[in-house]
Amino acid sequence: MADVSIKGTLPRDQVETPFARFVADYCSSWLAVAALVVVVVLITLSALAPWIAPQNPYDLTQLSIFDNMLAPGERSMEGKLYLLGTDDQGRDMLSAMFYGLKLSFFVGIVSTAVALAIGIAAGITAAYFGGRIDTVIMRFVDLQLSFPAILIALILLALLGKGVDKVIIALVAVQWAYYARTIRGGALVERQREYIDAARNLALPSHRIIFRHLLPNCLPPLVVVATIQVAHAISLEATLSFLGVGVPITEPSLGLLISNGYKYILSGKYWISVYPGLLLLLTILAINLVGDRLRDLLNPRLKA
Amino acid sequence: MLAFLIRRIGQSLFVILAMAALVFLGVFFIGNPIDVLLAPDADQAERAEAIVRLGLDKPLWQQFFIFLADLARGDLGTSFVHGTSAVGLIFERLPATMELAFVALVLAVVVGIPLGVIAGLKSEGFAGRSIMTGSIVGFSLPNFWFGIMLILFFAVTLQWLPAGGRGPTGSLFGIELSLLNPAGWPNLLMPALTLAIYKVSLVIRLAYSGTREAMLQDYVRFARAKGLSRRRILGVHVLKNILIPIVTVLGLELGSMIAFAVVTESVFAWPGIGKLLIDSIGRLDRPVIVAYLMIVVALFAVINLVVDILYSVLDPRVRLSDTGN
């Protein structure tokens, strides 16, 4: 039936859905497309790390101390090639970077997901119910946002100690307030719209109005903030690990690799800190470029 | 204006009090100071004596008020490691950090505003696009790694600049400052640049969007119609209007720079409060951690207060809307 009704107006493959238009708009920037490709490739590489890395750099039986400090492109005594060299324990840098990236994405995505859930719950509660609930929640959000993320993360980790789980807790604590504020801002505007009045007049229950009507319409700005926050979380994890308060040294982390390489920087052994940092920069930059493009596309002020 | 000031100062005091409560609960309640203070082989009698001596046998609310009273007197205990007053230690290191943050802030403004204005004027051109893409790179650079790369390039490869440490300082009213001694400038350059790079990107973005918006306003059109020179339009009319958000954000960012100095100071072995904090966390030197947190929180409250007041001077609408409620 659909085919028949469209016939005579437009060929079927030219019918634009909003999503198709969005994809087309996104693709009009080659830089944004390249960034998205890089992000997808990096996530795939990190997920496949155990299978594609030349060695498991955190399995001590696979390391040979005789292969330590090899420069990039050098071969070990058994003739094994180390593309990006080895560190002070004879660990293949390329493999260590794959594993480190895996932890980066894990920590970044998990912490963002949990913080999103908390932030959405707090923000939408504040906006939907308003009044005193709104004041209390938003005072808390404002108080937290007046302190820099790194300070809050440092305080928490100083109290909690090291560990991947503790880093995630700290990153959740740092992020949730951004989401709460973003979603509240959107929800306050959407709440005034006619479709919410219509839903109320239909006597729909609160949870249905919130989850089926209000929430989906508040999501676009949140997508932008969440994308950029993943990059921020990855950067913060590396920074905290570099400072020695993040993940313990038994875990693979780009920040720890750089911290380790930092010890050898003055003797000119650049590869231990340069390559993990480049990978970290590439990851954060690609995510930020995607987020930047999304912001341009989803910002209603720029559309007009 | 007076009502605005009183309200605003009251808010700041409340923030400090709330943070004091959080720090107190976090540090004194979650962890057990006795375990850190006493030798592992201490017997029960020594333990009990220490608990009484530290006032840990009193109820929690009483301990909190004692903590507040100590805080008001500026006494937050003695560093376990250094054996001197924790607050004294922080104040001794504070000038180094403030100096670093100040120089970084100046760098951010001096580099960021012109680049942002250029990008805003030529937003479709090559220069504008390169500057804006460059600012995303600046946002994405992991700060500590950027510092290490600077060391690698300028200190190890070229050997132009010292790799770390503070270098010679000059003295002013008993405060040691690198700015006063030209021999100390090379030591200051790389840490300040590292700390500034994120803020440069931020200022570029603010100046960019501000300029783009301002150029479409009637007052700019009117100034053009009056035949004012381009320089005067940009330097007086546009700049004045884009400065409002920049002043606000930078004021707030001064605080975040002091916090972020933790990273920069660790990379460059800069003897400020950030490095002191990291060292203290590593050694479980609790009084110093508490002193750092309380002083930084107070500093933040003051910075936020000053920014709000400056803002209300620059833009009277803020003051009016606030007292109107």
Side-chain angles (χ1 to χ4, degrees):
Chain A
M1 267 314 279
D3 270 325
V4 180
S5 63
I6 290 169
K7 221 176 219 170
T9 50
L10 276 171
R12 189 176 187 179
D13 55 336
Q14 279 184 22
V15 176
E16 264 199 334
T17 62
F19 182 72
R21 195 180 317 138
F22 182 79
V23 171
D25 279 349
Y26 184 93
C27 292
S28 64
S29 159
W30 65 268
L31 191 63
V33 174
L36 188 63
V37 170
V38 169
V39 171
V40 171
V41 168
L42 287 177
I43 291 182
T44 315
L45 281 180
S46 70
L48 296 177
W51 293 281
I52 56 170
Q55 60 165 225
N56 178 353
Y58 293 86
D59 176 6
L60 292 177
T61 58
Q62 292 190 28
L63 302 183
S64 162
I65 196 73
F66 297 112
D67 292 344
N68 74 337
M69 293 297 190
L70 292 177
E74 264 189 82
R75 285 177 185 279
S76 71
M77 284 190 285
E78 295 108 58
K80 211 156 103 191
L81 178 70
Y82 292 105
L83 263 182
L84 297 181
T86 60
D87 69 3
D88 50 351
Q89 296 187 49
R91 188 176 282 156
D92 174 38
M93 285 309 295
L94 187 67
S95 308
M97 282 160 56
F98 281 148
Y99 277 76
L101 190 64
K102 191 173 149 197
L103 182 92
S104 293
F105 276 120
F106 176 73
V107 168
I109 292 172
V110 170
S111 66
T112 304
V114 177
L116 257 178
I118 298 174
I120 287 178
I124 215 130
T125 309
Y128 190 78
F129 295 104
R132 195 161 287 170
I133 299 175
D134 185 29
T135 314
V136 170
I137 293 179
M138 291 324 286
R139 266 290 141 88
F140 210 70
V141 166
D142 285 343
L143 179 67
Q144 195 185 329
L145 288 180
S146 67
F147 294 95
I150 183 138
L151 189 66
I152 294 171
L154 270 176
I155 296 172
L156 280 175
L157 288 172
L159 294 173
L160 297 173
K162 289 185 192 179
V164 176
D165 48 343
K166 281 142 190 166
V167 170
I168 292 178
I169 293 175
L171 292 178
V172 169
V174 161
Q175 289 185 57
W176 76 274
Y178 291 99
Y179 303 131
R181 191 174 60 173
T182 310
I183 196 119
R184 174 179 172 269
L188 279 182
V189 176
E190 293 297 326
R191 205 181 57 165
Q192 314 287 335
R193 298 274 166 89
E194 286 88 349
Y195 68 87
I196 297 290
D197 288 340
R200 282 220 176 103
N201 286 341
L202 285 171
L204 294 181
S206 280
H207 64 85
R208 194 182 156 92
I209 300 180
I210 290 177
F211 288 109
R212 297 293 298 275
H213 300 279
L214 192 55
L215 192 56
N217 285 295
C218 302
L219 285 183
L222 208 61
V223 171
V224 177
V225 179
T227 311
I228 291 171
Q229 282 297 324
V230 171
H232 194 207
I234 289 176
S235 175
L236 207 53
E237 181 275 316
T239 305
L240 293 166
S241 297
F242 172 80
L243 290 174
V245 295
V247 303
I249 48 170
T250 48
E251 296 285 337
S253 158
L254 292 175
L256 280 173
L257 288 175
I258 297 170
S259 162
N260 186 35
Y262 175 60
K263 288 186 288 198
Y264 301 102
I265 200 90
L266 291 180
S267 50
K269 306 221 183 311
Y270 65 90
W271 59 90
I272 310 173
S273 54
V274 168
Y275 294 126
L278 277 178
L279 184 63
L280 188 60
L281 172 61
L282 183 70
T283 309
I284 298 170
L285 181 62
I287 300 176
N288 275 339
L289 283 170
V290 171
D292 201 56
R293 184 72 189 149
L294 289 178
R295 174 169 40 209
D296 286 350
L297 293 182
L298 294 175
N299 187 344
R301 270 198 300 177
L302 289 180
K303 262 186 202 155
Chain B
M1 188 69 191
L2 187 68
F4 172 77
L5 273 181
I6 292 172
R7 266 177 55 110
R8 214 30 215 83
I9 291 173
Q11 271 177 24
S12 302
L13 286 178
F14 176 76
V15 167
I16 294 177
L17 205 65
M19 282 309 285
L22 283 179
V23 169
F24 172 79
L25 280 179
V27 178
F28 288 79
F29 196 51
I30 293 177
N32 186 358
I34 292 294
D35 295 340
V36 186
L37 278 170
L38 283 185
D41 56 346
D43 58 27
Q44 277 303 317
E46 282 176 295
R47 234 185 129 74
E49 189 269 332
I51 289 176
V52 174
R53 181 162 47 85
L54 290 171
L56 295 174
D57 52 337
K58 299 195 175 78
L60 191 65
W61 62 269
Q62 221 171 341
Q63 286 189 46
F64 181 57
F65 279 107
I66 293 173
F67 171 70
L68 281 187
D70 285 346
L71 187 67
R73 278 188 285 119
D75 173 17
L76 287 172
T78 307
S79 159
F80 299 157
V81 177
H82 299 267
T84 51
S85 150
V87 175
L89 266 176
I90 303 281
F91 277 113
E92 193 188 310
R93 310 275 183 110
L94 194 57
T97 300
M98 293 299 270
E99 180 174 54
L100 194 60
F102 174 74
V103 175
L105 200 63
V106 172
L107 268 179
V109 170
V110 170
V111 179
I113 291 184
L115 284 179
V117 172
I118 293 171
L121 293 175
K122 302 186 171 142
S123 59
E124 295 303 315
F126 177 73
R129 286 189 182 189
S130 327
I131 291 173
M132 293 319 287
T133 309
S135 82
I136 299 181
V137 177
F139 270 130
S140 308
L141 268 177
N143 212 268
F144 64 100
W145 183 71
F146 179 64
I148 295 176
M149 291 305 103
L150 285 182
I151 294 179
L152 184 63
F153 192 66
F154 290 105
V156 179
T157 309
L158 296 176
Q159 306 209 325
W160 286 355
L161 294 168
R166 199 173 178 202
T169 55
S171 188
L172 179 74
F173 307 125
I175 299 171
E176 299 292 322
L177 292 175
S178 300
L179 277 177
L180 299 174
N181 189 340
W185 293 355
N187 287 76
L188 190 57
L189 200 59
M190 287 200 294
L193 185 63
T194 307
L195 195 54
I197 194 79
Y198 186 89
K199 307 303 167 195
V200 171
S201 306
L202 191 68
V203 173
I204 289 179
R205 302 232 120 195
L206 290 172
Y208 167 82
S209 56
T211 308
R212 275 187 76 179
E213 229 164 82
M215 291 308 281
L216 301 173
Q217 300 289 321
D218 287 341
Y219 61 79
V220 170
R221 231 182 273 171
F222 180 69
R224 271 205 196 124
K226 247 178 20 177
L228 293 185
S229 71
R230 193 178 162 76
R231 174 184 294 181
R232 194 172 160 79
I233 295 176
L234 280 181
V236 178
H237 300 276
V238 171
L239 198 62
K240 216 178 186 176
N241 281 284
I242 65 172
L243 275 183
I244 296 176
I246 294 180
V247 167
T248 324
V249 173
L250 275 188
L252 296 172
E253 292 292 327
L254 181 66
S256 99
M257 271 175 160
I258 291 168
F260 233 92
V262 170
V263 180
T264 317
E265 288 174 7
S266 297
V267 172
F268 291 97
W270 187 263
I273 54 173
K275 193 168 180 335
L276 182 68
L277 175 72
I278 290 297
D279 293 344
S280 301
I281 290 176
R283 294 163 180 164
L284 291 173
D285 197 346
R286 195 166 284 171
V288 180
I289 301 175
V290 173
Y292 173 92
L293 292 181
M294 287 322 301
I295 290 173
V296 168
V297 165
L299 213 59
F300 264 78
V302 172
I303 291 172
N304 287 348
L305 182 69
V306 171
V307 168
D308 270 13
I309 293 173
L310 267 184
Y311 198 51
S312 76
V313 171
L314 282 176
D315 190 347
R317 281 173 300 181
V318 176
R319 189 166 70 225
L320 293 176
S321 71
D322 206 60
T323 42
N325 291 331

